[in-house]
Amino acid sequence: RHIHLTQDHIEILFGPNYRLQPMKDLAQKGEYAAKETVSLIGPKGVLAGVRVLGPARSHSQVEISRTDSFTLGISAPLRDSGDLSGAADIMVVASHGAVHLKEGAIVAARHIHLSPLDAKELGVCDRQEVDVAIGGERGGQLSRVRVRVGEAFCRELHVDTDEANGLGLKNGDVGTIV
């Protein structure tokens, strides 16, 4: 689970003129896990310590697992990141304030980030859906994995915690497009 925030929302949540503090670079160029965290509040529960990812975005959005949506008591739809049409409402709280995100929470659809060179090498194109085989003790196959191609992307499969736990995946594990 994580949240992307606009600069306006960062300032409401953490204070005027506030800038996110990078904690750890992510695999995708220019993206990072920030030191900042927020709490998500739904009708039935709270998720504290939700990591903010930077840099600031043009739209704020929360990406959670299906299990998280049950905990919060919201009906977050399965969507590609950035597609907030019909997304669930969620309240976001931090040290200096709160923001109500109307259509702000989704369960992010599984996807693979690839550079154009990687996509060409693998014989796939942007927005194509592929199946990915996962080995290991609890291995299996993920269907309908969306390919996302971008100049700044590096090869990385993104799944939520429910999917990762079900397959026994951890960071650095390898899958194969089938």
Side-chain angles (χ1 to χ4, degrees), residues 7-18:
Q7 185 59 40
D8 286 346
H9 287 162
I10 290 168
E11 293 183 29
I12 291 168
L13 294 167
F14 299 104
N17 302 312
Y18 193 88

Side-chain angles (χ1 to χ4, degrees), residues 91-140:
M91 182 64 69
V92 182
V93 179
S95 58
H96 278 73
V99 174
H100 174 251
L101 296 181
K102 185 170 173 48
E103 293 191 322
I106 62 169
V107 174
R110 58 179 81 118
H111 57 279
I112 302 172
H113 289 275
L114 296 172
S115 70
L117 186 61
D118 286 335
K120 184 176 181 182
E121 176 188 320
L122 295 168
V124 296
C125 60
D126 191 43
R127 316 252 334 132
Q128 181 179 348
E129 289 186 348
V130 297
D131 294 343
V132 176
I134 306 294
E137 187 176 32
R138 295 195 65 170

Side-chain angles (χ1 to χ4, degrees), residues 140-152:
Q141 186 164 308
L142 294 168
S143 299
R144 302 187 65 199
V145 179
R146 180 73 50 101
V147 173
R148 296 178 60 191
V149 179
E151 289 295 332

